[in-house]
């Protein structure tokens, strides 16, 4: 049997179903499923994602050949259901051509509506609907959309004028018209003619009048849109593989623009911003397709309750609301009832929050899309816990429902309540995506990079703005509702957003934003509260968030299921405390070198490095010892009862010495030598490749007195705390081990010193001595190294650097190119390279356990907080991962998910 490439749906029948997303894309699979559960959906068919891949490989001609017959018979099936005919003069079938990948990529792929219209079909539509204006308006929209999406008429840059907009403006001007709705049938006819002429002028080709030509052109354009810059950028941002491809959905049109008894809208079964279990959404009367999300007209709320909330936020009086902006519940009570039954049915069916698109054609409701709705991190957590409490999902499912990286949003600072109360509110818009953001105003998405903290202010946003929206701290729009492009995308990104702040006027030319009489120039500081919709003048103080409520419960569940535990990388008591509050069960990496930079410590440190002999070094080290011990006391106290892994001095010494004249003179004065002596010493420390030079245990083995001092400080601190009744579990970690001998030599120094300290003080402290595994040779000979090391901690930053041979600090030039060209799928410094570096980790785990079955294993590289890497660590059998304090909850959740996936 040949491969099935086209799947039809319609009339409560469908060849596909919901779990075929990989093949049919999310949209196609759910259109099929909705048919199967009896939701009214216009008929049509889906061309599979595999055809997109075939198209990319074989080219257009061969790809069309593969599906031509199937598409023709699928159109026939649609025609039969509706009793209409593609391209017919009497009763023409019009379709939409829609993209749809496995996961939804909002605004990535362009949809063509009203396809099938030509000079004949438009007559048919006019006759059938008895509405000539509607027919010609649809035709006008179609030529425009098809020209933009398929024929490449859309202007490339923001300075260029859209040829269709220009024509419309001219016709308006010539006839003294203000709005699109003012066009008469004759104007619309004139527009169609002029649009087509513009197409011919710009592309040298006739606008295709044959519906089949139109259809094939649109299908290929959808396939092509998979590889636009925008789509590629979105995929990179969301780690979606380029080989998935998109499906194409061809679906009979329904018309929301047939007059006052028609409309179109978007709805959510729960609040995508806060997670509240409340049906909500927006609609527009006499509108089609993207009108609601494009923010062109002010959309109205679906429910009465939502409408009242909206009016209050917008300062709209009840009278004005009820007359000018009534809810769907009020305006079309019957349709509303049906919609609310369907939304409940869909949520019950999918057991997850649904994001719906619907259209009302002459009083009849049609569903055009459903999908698991995008949501903010906070909403994700709340919905998971509430659905658990409602008995819709079980504990494991609740844990799986939350994307670990999304928790990041809940860990960002929030506005301080007191500071907020005193702040100067400039205006209020809609609370489109919660959060707090402060930054400098910019008015163009591609200029968000100008400032370190930017707020993108736009009249409305469009898919081209995606990259800038991602860079900005927050987004502010003058137009558009809760389902506008800006709002939906911001919630997906977890970015703070205020939409529809109607009082603000943005002047793109002058680069100003004004509210009533006040004008703000580009670069002015403002603050947004995405949870209330309030815009403030200037900056507002922020405070750290708390891990409480639903978030706290989710974390408890995570710990209940995960096998690994999570530690943190922290060098200060403050960071240690933060991490503890986020649930860290110890420190996996405490870098001692950071401590030497503060205050006068650096002077003692420099003396040690610049000393001319052992005696000089020892004197300086004696001065450093009490300072270092104090540092450890602070950290051990913050982490009492929990293990703390302290890494001995690691970076090349030259990083500590002064390279500037002033610093060198200072050291010369302190040490009572001539500046030339200092200069010479600094020069002698120069290395061609410091990261591969005199660092790590190489330091401790050439200058054992450093290791002695650090060991004394660590154990000394533990003993000092013990005397105060505070329990500690120090673990001393030797960095950059490559051979057993260099590890052994360090181990001996450490153990010797500890013995001496115990003897001197008459106290003992439980402790471990182990090493980082970060040099490939150490991984390869881990069975040997484990003879000396009681624990391994994988330093995957260096391990990645040395396995790839990439200097981590020098990847800036080639890494973006490598990612763009697909040479690398991910930056291996962000996402652990399981295939290469991972093999070394695996090998070291196995070999280490061979020698020492109870060896303690963890990871302390940046990867310890990256979900896919955490999962790898779980599968590889590590005991714990360690990451920066703010990623601890993310790692806890990822660790739980890794365990549950294996169950
Ligand atoms: P996106 O993936 O960007 O949301 P869609 O394919 O869902 O794109 O379509 C864009 C808009 O066009 C949506 O508002 C949708 O409801 C509308 N639309 C798509 N197909 C039809 C159709 N057959 N009839 C009426 N409206 C449609
Ligand atoms: Mg779209
Ligand atoms: Mg859609």
């Amino acid at each position: 049997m040949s491969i099935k490439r086209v799947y039809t749906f319609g009339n409560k029948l469908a060849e596909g179903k919901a779990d075929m997303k990989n093949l049919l894309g999310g949209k196609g699979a759910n259109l099929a499923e909705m048919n199967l559960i009896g939701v009214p959906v216009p008929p049509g068919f889906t061309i599979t994602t595999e055809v997109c891949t075939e198209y990319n490989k074989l080219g257009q001609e061969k790809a069309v050949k593969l599906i031509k017959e199937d598409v023709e018979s699928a159109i026939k099936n649609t025609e039969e259901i509706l009793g209409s005919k593609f391209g017919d003069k009497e009763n023409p079938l019009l379709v939409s051509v829609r993209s749809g990948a496995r996961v939804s990529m909002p605004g990535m792929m362009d949809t063509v509506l009203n396809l099938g219209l030509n000079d004949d079909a438009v007559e048919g539509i006019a006759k059938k609907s008895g509405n000539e204006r509607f027919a010609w308006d649809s035709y006008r929209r179609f030529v425009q959309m098809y020209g933009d999406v398929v024929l490449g008429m859309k202007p490339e840059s923001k300075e260029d004028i859209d040829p269709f907009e220009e024509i419309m403006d001219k016709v308006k001007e010539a006839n003294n018209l203000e709005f699109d709705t003012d066009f008469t049938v004759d104007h619309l006819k004139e527009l169609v003619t002029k649009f087509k002429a513009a197409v011919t002028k710009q592309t040298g080709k006739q606008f295709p009048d044959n519906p089949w030509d139109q259809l094939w052109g649109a299908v290929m354009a959808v396939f092509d849109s998979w590889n636009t810059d925008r789509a590629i950028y979105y995929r990179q941002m969301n780690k979606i593989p380029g080989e998935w491809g998109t499906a194409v959905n061809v679906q009979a049109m329904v018309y929301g623009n047939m007059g006052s008894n028609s409309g179109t809208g978007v709805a959510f079964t729960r609040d995508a911003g806060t997670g509240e279990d409340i049906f909500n959404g927006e609609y527009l009367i006499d509108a089609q397709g993207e009108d609601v999300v494009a923010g062109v007209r002010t959309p109205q709320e679906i429910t009465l309750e939502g409408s009242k909330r909206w009016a209050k936020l917008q300062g709209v009086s009840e009278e004005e609301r009820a007359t000018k902006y009534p809810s769907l519940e009020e305006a079309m009570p019957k349709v509303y009832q049906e919609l609310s039954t369907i939304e409940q049915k869909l949520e019950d069916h999918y057991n997850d929050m649904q994001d719906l698109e619907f259209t009302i054609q002459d009083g009849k409701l049609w569903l055009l899309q459903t999908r698991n709705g995008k949501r903010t991190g906070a909403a994700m957590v709340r919905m998971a816990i509430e659905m658990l409490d409602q008995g819709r999902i079980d504990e494991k499912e609740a844990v799986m429902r939350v994307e670990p990286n999304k928790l990041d949003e809940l860990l960002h600072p929030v506005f301080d309540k007191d500071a907020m109360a005193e702040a100067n509110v400039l205006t209020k818009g809609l609370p489109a995506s919660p959060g707090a953001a402060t930054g400098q105003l910019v008015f163009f998405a591609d200029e968000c990079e100008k400032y370190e903290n930017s707020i993108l202010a736009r009249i409305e946003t469009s898919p081209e703005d995606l990259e800038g929206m991602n860079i900005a701290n927050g987004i502010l729009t003058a137009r558009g509702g809760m389902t506008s492009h800006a709002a939906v995308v911001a919630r997906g990104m977890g970015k703070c957003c205020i939409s529809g702040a109607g009082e603000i006027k943005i002047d793109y030319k002058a680069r100003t934003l004004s509210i009533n009489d006040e004008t703000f120039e580009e670069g002015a500081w403002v603050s947004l509260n995405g949870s209330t919709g309030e815009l403030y003048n200037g900056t507002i103080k922020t405070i750290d968030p708390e891990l409480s409520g639903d978030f706290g419960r989710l974390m408890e569940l995570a710990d209940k299921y995960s096998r690994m535990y999570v530690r943190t990388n922290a060098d200060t008591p403050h960071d240690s405390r933060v991490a503890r509050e986020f649930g860290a069960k110890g420190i996996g990496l405490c870098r001692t070198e950071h401590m030497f930079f503060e205050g006068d410590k650096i002077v003692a440190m420099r003396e040690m490095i610049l000393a001319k002999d052992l005696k000089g070094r020892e004197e300086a080290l004696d001065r450093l010892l009490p300072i270092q011990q104090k540092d450890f006391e602070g950290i051990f106290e913050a982490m009492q009862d929990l293990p703390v892994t302290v890494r001995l001095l690691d970076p090349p010494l030259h990083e500590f010495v002064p390279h500037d004249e002033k610093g060198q003179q200072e050291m010369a004065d302190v040490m009572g030598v001539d500046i030339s002596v200092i200069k010479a010493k600094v020069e002698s420390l120069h290395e061609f490749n410091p990261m591969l030079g005199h660092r790590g245990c190489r330091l401790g083995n050439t200058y054992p007195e450093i290791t002695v001092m650090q060991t004394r400080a660590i154990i000394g601190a533990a003993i000092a705390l013990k005397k105060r009744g505070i329990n500690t579990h120090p673990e001393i970690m030797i960095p950059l081990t490559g051979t057993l001998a260099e590890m052994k030599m360090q181990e001996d120094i450490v153990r010797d010193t500890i013995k001496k300290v115990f003897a001197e003080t008459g106290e003992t402290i439980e402790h471990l001595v182990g090493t980082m595994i970060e040099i490939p040779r150490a991984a390869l000979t881990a069975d040997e190294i484990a003879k000396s090391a009681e624990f391994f901690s994988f330093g995957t930053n260096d391990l990645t650097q040395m396995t790839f041979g990439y200097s981590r600090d020098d990847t800036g030039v080639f890494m973006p190119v490598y990612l763009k060209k697909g040479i690398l799928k991910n930056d291996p410094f962000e996402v652990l390279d399981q295939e290469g570096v991972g093999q070394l980790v695996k090998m070291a785990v196995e070999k280490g356990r061979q020698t020492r079955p109870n060896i303690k294993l963890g990871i302390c590289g940046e990867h310890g907080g990256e979900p896919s890497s955490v999962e790898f660590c779980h599968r590889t059998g590590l005991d714990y991962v360690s990451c920066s304090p703010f990623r601890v909850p993310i790692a806890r959740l990822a660790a739980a998910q890794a365990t549950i996936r294996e169950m």
Side-chain angles (χ1 to χ4, degrees):
M1 215 189 86
S2 68
I3 312 168
K4 188 165 173 57
R5 294 188 172 85
V6 176
Y7 288 71
T8 60
F9 56 81
N11 238 359
K12 305 196 175 162
L13 295 175
E15 292 178 317
K17 57 179 170 19
D19 64 9
M20 293 169 72
K21 290 198 178 66
N22 293 357
L23 191 60
L24 302 180
K27 200 179 285 170
N30 286 330
L31 285 170
E33 186 81 5
M34 284 198 286
N35 269 285
L36 296 176
I37 61 171
V39 170
V41 173
F45 57 91
T46 304
I47 303 170
T48 66
T49 54
E50 286 174 1
V51 180
C52 181
T53 313
E54 286 173 321
Y55 168 84
N56 285 330
K57 253 193 236 137
L58 307 172
Q60 170 162 348
E61 211 174 304
K62 287 192 177 144
V64 169
K65 234 192 212 142
L66 287 173
I67 52 173
K68 191 157 182 289
E69 264 176 46
D70 294 345
V71 167
E72 281 168 3
S73 86
I75 284 279
K76 200 152 180 220
N77 179 59
T78 310
E79 288 173 340
E80 276 163 12
I81 292 173
L82 295 172
S84 57
K85 206 164 163 39
F86 208 36
D88 194 48
K89 197 169 179 167
E90 296 299 319
N91 189 8
L93 167 67
L94 301 191
V95 296
S96 63
V97 176
R98 322 171 62 186
S99 63
R102 283 192 207 185
V103 295
S104 80
M105 294 169 54
M108 287 297 95
M109 307 286 174
D110 292 309
T111 299
V112 179
L113 300 176
N114 307 325
L115 187 141
L117 275 172
N118 54 27
D119 294 347
D120 284 343
V122 73
E123 300 296 339
I125 295 289
K127 235 185 278 165
K128 205 177 112 191
S129 63
N131 186 339
E132 201 184 5
R133 191 183 182 283
F134 153 72
W136 280 94
D137 187 50
S138 302
Y139 196 9
R140 185 275 297 175
R141 287 169 188 255
F142 167 62
V143 177
Q144 185 171 359
M145 217 182 262
Y146 197 89
D148 277 342
V149 176
V150 181
L151 305 175
M153 298 286 287
K154 201 182 277 174
E156 293 280 323
S157 83
K158 67 183 185 212
E159 276 88 25
D160 291 344
I161 304 159
D162 182 320
F164 299 127
E165 295 292 340
E166 196 179 15
I167 293 170
M168 289 216 282
D169 285 344
K170 279 197 183 137
V171 173
K172 272 186 207 165
E173 219 177 271
N175 296 287
N176 249 326
L177 310 175
E178 197 178 345
F179 300 111
D180 292 6
T181 40
D182 296 336
F183 288 127
T184 64
V185 172
D186 285 335
H187 296 141
L188 292 166
K189 285 182 179 170
E190 182 186 341
L191 286 177
V192 168
T193 310
K194 288 193 163 154
F195 282 2
K196 286 185 175 177
V199 166
T200 308
K201 189 168 158 224
Q202 190 166 322
T203 67
K205 288 190 206 117
Q206 291 286 321
F207 186 88
D209 281 324
N210 181 321
W212 285 103
D213 293 341
Q214 295 174 356
L215 180 62
W216 287 113
V219 170
M220 298 308 141
V222 172
F223 286 154
D224 285 334
S225 74
W226 179 253
N227 283 321
T228 57
D229 287 347
R230 263 198 271 150
I232 292 171
Y233 179 77
Y234 186 87
R235 285 204 290 278
Q236 269 177 10
M237 206 167 90
N238 291 281
K239 310 229 181 299
I240 298 170
E243 60 271 9
W244 280 3
T246 177
V248 184
N249 301 288
V250 179
Q251 188 175 27
M253 284 302 299
V254 286
Y255 307 99
N257 54 337
M258 266 173 78
S260 60
N261 203 22
S262 302
T264 184
V266 175
F268 301 90
T269 62
R270 298 184 186 217
D271 190 313
T274 64
E276 187 183 356
D277 187 2
I278 184 171
F279 179 46
N280 65 99
E282 293 172 337
Y283 77 107
L284 278 174
I285 294 283
D286 197 11
Q288 188 176 52
E290 310 267 19
D291 291 358
V292 175
V293 288
V296 184
R297 273 158 61 191
T298 305
Q300 292 153 238
E301 289 287 322
I302 289 180
T303 65
L304 178 57
E305 189 183 344
S307 183
K308 288 191 162 158
R309 277 191 194 183
W310 168 86
K312 204 167 150 212
L313 282 168
Q314 292 281 35
V316 170
S317 74
E318 172 59 18
E319 197 198 330
E320 192 185 355
R321 185 202 68 75
T323 49
K324 272 173 84 178
Y325 308 104
S327 63
L328 185 69
E329 192 171 352
E330 297 158 283
M332 299 184 184
K334 248 192 72 205
V335 172
Y336 171 78
Q337 270 318 320
E338 199 184 342
L339 181 63
S340 93
T341 310
I342 289 175
E343 75 78 22
Q344 197 56 54
K345 181 173 186 165
L346 287 171
E347 187 172 290
D348 291 347
H349 184 71
Y350 288 97
N351 264 323
D352 199 351
M353 186 265 268
Q354 295 299 295
D355 165 352
L356 321 170
E357 284 174 13
F358 65 91
T359 282
I360 304 153
Q361 175 177 327
D362 207 13
K364 162 120 184 75
L365 177 68
W366 295 94
L367 268 288
L368 287 167
Q369 188 170 336
T370 189
R371 63 180 168 211
N372 293 341
K374 290 199 187 299
R375 60 203 78 172
T376 62
M380 200 173 263
V381 172
R382 177 164 175 185
M383 285 180 200
I385 295 296
E386 286 187 0
M387 287 193 190
L388 171 68
D389 290 343
Q390 290 168 351
R392 286 176 182 275
I393 55 177
D394 63 12
E395 287 181 350
K396 285 184 215 151
E397 179 63 24
V399 170
M400 298 306 290
R401 277 287 167 91
V402 180
E403 279 168 50
N405 277 330
K406 277 284 203 183
L407 295 180
D408 191 42
E409 295 165 28
L410 286 102
L411 301 169
H412 284 309
V414 291
F415 286 138
D416 179 58
K417 279 211 175 68
D418 298 333
M420 214 156 58
E422 280 167 28
N424 173 5
V425 181
L426 291 171
T427 187
K428 223 170 166 184
L430 297 172
S433 181
T438 292
Q440 294 177 270
L441 284 175
V442 294
F443 299 104
F444 298 97
D446 56 1
E447 294 179 4
C448 288
E449 271 168 318
K450 255 190 178 168
Y451 305 99
E452 200 175 317
N453 295 291
S454 59
I455 299 289
L456 177 63
R458 301 280 303 164
I459 297 174
E460 63 212 35
T461 64
S462 70
E464 289 87 62
D465 299 334
L466 197 72
E467 198 165 342
M469 293 169 78
N470 194 31
I471 294 166
N473 286 359
I475 298 152
L476 170 67
T477 69
R479 279 197 221 143
M482 295 290 285
T483 59
S484 64
H485 178 267
V488 172
V489 171
R491 285 196 295 268
M493 289 176 175
K495 189 138 295 189
C496 169
C497 174
I498 297 175
S499 68
E503 272 183 353
I504 66 171
K505 299 268 169 308
I506 294 175
D507 184 336
Y508 288 137
K509 263 221 185 86
R511 293 174 182 251
T512 58
L513 176 157
S514 42
I515 301 162
N516 303 323
D517 313 326
E518 240 176 312
T519 299
F520 298 84
E521 314 244 326
E522 183 194 302
W525 285 89
V526 294
S527 299
L528 316 184
N529 184 341
S531 315
T532 61
E534 277 162 324
L535 173 69
Y536 301 94
N537 197 352
T539 60
I540 297 179
K541 195 178 137 210
T542 56
I543 52 167
D544 285 341
E546 271 174 35
L547 217 163
S548 59
D550 293 335
F551 191 10
R553 280 184 63 199
L554 178 76
M555 285 295 108
E556 275 168 32
L557 282 181
D559 289 352
K560 176 170 170 187
Y561 286 96
S562 61
R563 181 189 59 72
M564 287 193 301
Y565 62 99
V566 178
R567 293 194 188 184
T568 192
N569 300 346
D571 318 327
T572 64
H574 173 262
D575 283 1
S576 310
R577 272 191 296 274
V578 170
R580 230 191 142 126
E581 265 156 37
F582 286 152
K585 297 264 167 15
I587 290 184
L589 176 63
C590 171
R591 303 174 177 88
T592 53
E593 56 270 18
H594 290 183
M595 302 174 181
F596 293 124
F597 282 106
E598 284 164 38
D600 353 314
K601 296 180 206 170
I602 190 69
V603 175
M605 183 68 180
R606 285 174 173 171
E607 276 187 73
M608 190 275 287
I609 298 167
L610 298 169
K612 65 177 188 298
D613 53 17
L614 175 65
K615 194 168 149 281
R617 261 199 308 281
E618 281 181 339
E619 277 170 20
L621 283 167
D622 281 346
R623 269 197 294 282
L624 278 173
L625 175 62
I627 311 176
Q628 174 115 87
Q629 177 167 330
K630 265 256 136 37
D631 286 333
F632 290 136
E633 283 176 27
I635 290 171
F636 289 168
E637 186 169 1
M639 275 288 160
Q640 60 175 298
D641 296 325
L642 298 176
V644 176
T645 304
V646 180
R647 179 177 71 183
L648 301 185
L649 195 62
D650 181 51
L653 293 180
H654 87 115
E655 282 190 12
F656 297 99
V657 296
H659 294 279
D660 58 315
E661 186 87 21
K662 191 170 154 261
Q664 291 176 351
Q665 187 58 56
E666 189 188 343
M667 285 316 295
D669 295 346
V670 170
M671 298 176 70
V673 294
D674 193 77
I675 186 163
S676 63
V677 177
I678 303 290
K679 277 203 166 120
K681 184 78 193 182
V682 169
E683 222 152 88
S684 76
L685 286 168
H686 169 81
E687 292 176 303
F688 285 104
N689 211 333
M691 291 319 281
L692 300 175
H694 192 194
R695 58 172 284 220
C697 63
R698 296 161 207 165
L699 286 174
N701 280 330
T702 44
Y703 301 137
E705 53 280 9
I706 299 180
T707 305
V708 170
M709 183 281 281
Q710 291 203 293
T711 306
R712 277 188 170 276
I714 295 166
I715 299 300
I719 289 173
L721 292 184
K722 188 179 180 185
K723 289 187 177 147
R724 286 168 45 203
I726 293 169
N727 241 331
T728 60
H729 300 276
E731 301 176 348
I732 298 176
M733 180 155 77
I734 313 300
L736 222 70
T737 296
T739 71
L740 172 61
E742 63 186 345
M743 170 64 203
K744 187 75 185 103
M745 185 167 288
Q746 284 293 289
E747 186 202 352
D748 289 346
I749 299 168
V750 169
R751 291 204 190 279
D752 247 30
T753 309
I754 294 178
K755 228 184 264 158
K756 278 188 198 141
V757 179
F758 286 173
E760 288 162 16
T761 57
E763 294 279 358
T764 59
I765 293 288
E766 240 181 73
H767 62 275
L768 295 177
V769 183
T771 185
M772 273 177 95
I773 300 288
E774 51 188 333
I775 287 190
R777 194 185 188 285
L780 295 165
T781 60
D783 46 346
E784 285 292 300
I785 309 261
K787 288 178 184 162
S788 164
E790 290 175 295
F791 65 86
F792 287 168
S793 175
F794 292 94
T796 47
N797 299 345
D798 263 313
L799 192 59
T800 298
Q801 175 159 264
M802 294 195 226
T803 303
F804 274 89
Y806 296 161
S807 157
R808 190 182 177 208
D809 303 313
D810 300 308
T811 57
V813 179
F814 64 88
M815 189 63 72
V817 181
Y818 266 40
L819 292 173
K820 188 142 198 209
K821 292 195 170 169
I823 297 171
L824 289 174
K825 279 205 179 117
N826 296 299
D827 179 344
F829 291 104
E830 267 171 39
V831 178
L832 184 77
D833 162 48
Q834 301 184 12
E835 195 185 343
V837 178
Q839 269 196 57
L840 288 169
V841 175
K842 235 188 217 154
M843 179 187 293
V845 165
E846 280 159 22
K847 291 191 164 212
R849 285 221 170 100
Q850 264 168 35
T851 303
R852 195 187 284 269
N854 65 344
I855 191 167
K856 202 175 205 183
L857 301 166
I859 178 180
C860 64
E862 257 8 89
H863 304 101
E866 191 282 317
S868 73
S869 313
V870 172
E871 162 145 36
F872 170 81
C873 294
H874 169 87
R875 277 188 278 115
T876 311
L878 299 195
D879 299 305
Y880 69 87
V881 297
S882 186
C883 57
S884 63
F886 280 91
R887 296 203 72 85
V888 167
I890 296 170
R892 284 165 76 192
L893 183 60
Q897 294 187 346
T899 317
I900 292 172
R901 269 192 208 106
E902 268 185 0
M903 285 176 163

